[in-house]
Amino acid sequence: MKPVSNKPPFYIKLSHVLLSLVLIVVILRTTKDILAPVAFGFIFAILLLPVAQGLEKLRCSRGLAATLAVLLFILCMFGLIYFISWQMSSFLTDLPQLEKRLMMQANNLTLWIDEKFQVDSEQQIAWINETAAKSIATVSQFVVNAVSSVSSVLIFLVFIPLYTFFLLFYRRLLVKFLLRLFRREDAENVHAVIAHGRVVIKSYVVGLFIEMVVVAVLNVTALLLLGVQYAVLLGTLGAIFNVIPYLGMVVTIIITLLVTLTTATPVLAFWAVVALFAIHLLDANILLPRIVGSKVSINAMITLLGVFVGSMIWGIAGMFISIPAMALLKIIFDRIPNMKPWGILMGSGE
């Protein structure tokens, strides 16, 4: 007689996996206002950990070291926000004129389409008005939602530094907690996951910041050489959007195209798009592998899927947090025998 297997059938295991994934997504979406600041605080705490440790070696108390590290982080963020606001001021001042120029460009485009493709300009104007009305309604609803959620955004921004401070201050307590969750024989694996995860996330965030600065310099230089108006603003925003894989490049090109069409000729807009796309190719094939390195060895398909899932769960915050989260998950999957197939699926296959 064949021995009876205690392993559950495949469809039972599959149903458990799918049910677990659904419950995780529901929990993450429900607790977004709580867990999203904690996730960002976790990443910034790892980034600021060397600063806090260096201050502690200078005989600062752990609380004072964590406070000074968080204050340094806040000053850097305020500096970036001030720089973008300063660049945005002239753009917002010229916005009414840009709207008039955009309408003139749209009128010229309708005349060209009428001449080349025999499509009545009145039909085109009616379609544009209908689309514009829907867009205005969408934008109005977006503004209402944004105004109603100002308090939640302020809470989000206030709680990130607080969580960063507490994670720095109680880091040893958190390590003890994680060790107590598992058996003693698993302590070595837990320490390895913590150490590896800290190195990977820190390397990724620092490398991403360096890459963002390099891309900003390249974007601004290229747009200035072409004579594009608001080159500094567009180049800086493009570098910030570049943090979002694949989608950031599309958003940057669309914004640059619209702004350049309203301030210059279509030829200049075309060359601006070509320049930004060339910089993106340079970044994706040379800068990203060399600066960020191979610490986050996640394939492109899982990266794009993770960005979409992060956007679905936590919105823009989820898009930013998705790659560090997937990198940490892959480290955990690679250390757990039953989860290794998932780690192989997420890997680059090299």
Side-chain angles (χ1 to χ4, degrees), residues 51-293:
V51 178
Q53 289 176 334
L55 291 171
E56 288 176 13
K57 290 179 181 179
L58 296 175
R59 298 186 178 180
C60 290
S61 64
R62 194 184 309 169
L64 179 60
T67 302
L68 293 176
V70 172
L71 287 176
L72 178 63
F73 163 71
I74 292 173
L75 288 175
C76 292
M77 290 298 102
F78 269 114
L80 179 61
I81 293 172
Y82 175 78
F83 176 76
I84 294 176
S85 302
W86 174 52
Q87 292 294 324
M88 283 286 291
S89 59
S90 61
F91 176 78
L92 294 175
T93 303
D94 298 339
L95 191 59
Q97 297 181 1
L98 296 179
E99 290 177 355
K100 293 180 181 178
R101 294 177 187 174
L102 184 61
M103 294 304 297
M104 291 177 59
Q105 293 284 358
N107 185 43
N108 293 334
L109 181 62
T110 56
L111 294 176
W112 181 81
I113 293 175
D114 188 8
E115 180 182 349
K116 294 292 183 180
F117 301 100
Q118 304 302 317
V119 178
D120 187 33
S121 58
E122 293 183 359
Q123 295 178 0
Q124 297 179 51
I125 293 173
W127 178 81
I128 292 173
N129 290 334
E130 182 182 356
T131 306
K134 292 179 180 178
S135 301
I136 291 172
T138 304
V139 171
S140 301
Q141 185 63 38
F142 174 78
V143 171
V144 171
N145 294 336
V147 171
S148 63
S149 62
V150 165
S151 59
S152 63
V153 172
L154 290 175
I155 292 174
F156 184 86
L157 293 176
V158 167
F159 272 86
I160 288 178
L162 288 176
Y163 285 130
T164 303
F165 169 79
F166 287 127
L167 288 168
L168 285 172
F169 186 75
Y170 293 114
R171 61 182 185 272
R172 294 176 186 173
L173 182 65
L174 294 173
V175 171
K176 289 181 181 179
F177 167 74
L178 292 175
L179 289 173
R180 292 293 180 90
L181 282 179
F182 301 93
R183 297 174 298 181
R184 288 186 177 181
E185 51 267 30
D186 295 329
E188 185 178 351
N189 280 335
V190 174
H191 275 296
V193 169
I194 293 173
H196 192 191
R198 187 175 67 184
V199 170
V200 167
I201 293 177
K202 184 177 72 174
S203 300
Y204 173 75
V205 175
V206 173
L208 200 63
F209 176 76
I210 297 173
E211 180 210 8
M212 186 170 64
V213 172
V214 173
V215 171
V217 172
L218 292 175
N219 285 347
V220 172
T221 303
L223 295 178
L224 285 175
L225 290 175
L226 289 172
V228 174
Q229 197 171 354
Y230 313 113
V232 177
L233 175 64
L234 294 174
T236 305
L237 290 178
I240 295 174
F241 291 145
N242 193 56
V243 174
I244 304 174
Y246 310 110
L247 300 179
M249 181 268 297
V250 176
V251 173
T252 301
I253 287 179
I254 291 175
I255 293 175
T256 305
L257 180 63
L258 291 176
V259 173
T260 311
L261 281 175
T262 57
T263 56
T265 62
V267 175
L268 182 59
F270 169 77
W271 284 114
V273 169
V274 169
L276 291 178
F277 186 71
I279 292 172
H280 170 72
L281 293 178
L282 176 68
D283 171 49
N285 294 285
I286 298 177
L287 297 179
L288 187 64
R290 290 181 180 275
I291 297 176
V292 178

Side-chain angles (χ1 to χ4, degrees), residues 271-350:
W271 284 114
V273 169
V274 169
L276 291 178
F277 186 71
I279 292 172
H280 170 72
L281 293 178
L282 176 68
D283 171 49
N285 294 285
I286 298 177
L287 297 179
L288 187 64
R290 290 181 180 275
I291 297 176
V292 178
S294 59
K295 297 292 184 181
V296 185
S297 54
I298 302 174
N299 63 65
M301 180 186 72
I302 297 297
T303 299
L304 188 61
L305 180 63
V307 171
F308 279 116
V309 172
S311 174
M312 179 190 73
I313 297 174
W314 283 355
I316 296 177
M319 298 175 75
F320 281 97
I321 210 77
S322 59
I323 295 182
M326 287 189 297
L328 189 59
L329 283 176
K330 187 179 185 306
I331 293 171
I332 296 173
F333 292 160
D334 289 340
R335 293 279 176 175
I336 302 176
N338 292 335
M339 303 298 291
K340 280 188 177 180
W342 293 94
I344 293 173
L345 178 65
M346 296 174 68
S348 57
E350 297 177 353

